[in-house]
Amino acid sequence: SPVILKGHLFGLAQRNKGSLVCLDLQDGKRKWSSPGRIGDYASIVGVENQLLILTTDGDLVVVAAEPTSYREIHRTQVANSAVWAHLTVTGDRIYVKDKKHLTAYALPKF
């Protein structure tokens, strides 16, 4: 599911085996597209000025939610098996459900 922040839509495109894209909601034009592969599926959550992206490979990717360019802030593995469930954020915690476990983490601050 795409996320809308500050007049821009951030979502996952099928191009390049899953690239993150930013579209301007005013004119529908693409502002940027991430290089490389994010994954076949990824859940995206907007938190303040950042996007939290959870990939099927179990990576949590933190990206700046800005229309000027794709800027990855941090990447870490948070699951050891396939992740098909949507990332959940509540309070100062994130919840990750992989194939075998449900795990809570402190919300990263960058």
Side-chain angles (χ1 to χ4, degrees), residues 3 10 16 20 35 37-38 50 70 78 81 88-89 108:
V3 171
F10 299 90
N16 295 328
L20 189 66
R37 180 183 186 278
I38 295 287
Q50 298 173 342
Y70 174 81
V78 293
S81 62
T88 301
V89 178

Side-chain angles (χ1 to χ4, degrees), residues 52 60 78 90-95 103-110:
L52 302 179
L60 178 67
V78 293
T90 182
D92 64 349
R93 295 253 182 242
I94 62 172
Y95 294 88
T103 309
Y105 295 95
L107 183 65
K109 303 234 187 241
F110 299 99

Side-chain angles (χ1 to χ4, degrees), residues 10-76:
F10 299 90
L12 190 67
Q14 291 180 338
R15 181 176 296 129
N16 295 328
K17 295 187 178 182
S19 63
L20 189 66
V21 296
C22 173
L23 303 177
D24 187 315
L25 288 178
Q26 289 284 340
D27 59 18
K29 293 185 180 177
R30 183 174 44 189
K31 303 297 276 183
W32 53 256
S33 180
S34 69
R37 180 183 186 278
I38 295 287
D40 298 325
Y41 168 82
S43 64
I44 306 168
V45 175
V47 178
E48 296 179 14
N49 294 323
Q50 298 173 342
L51 302 169
L52 302 179
I53 303 160
L54 180 61
T55 71
T56 52
D57 295 332
D59 288 336
L60 178 67
V61 184
V62 182
V63 173
E66 52 194 29
T68 52
S69 65
Y70 174 81
R71 185 169 60 91
E72 189 173 305
I73 298 169
H74 185 75
R75 179 184 291 255
T76 189

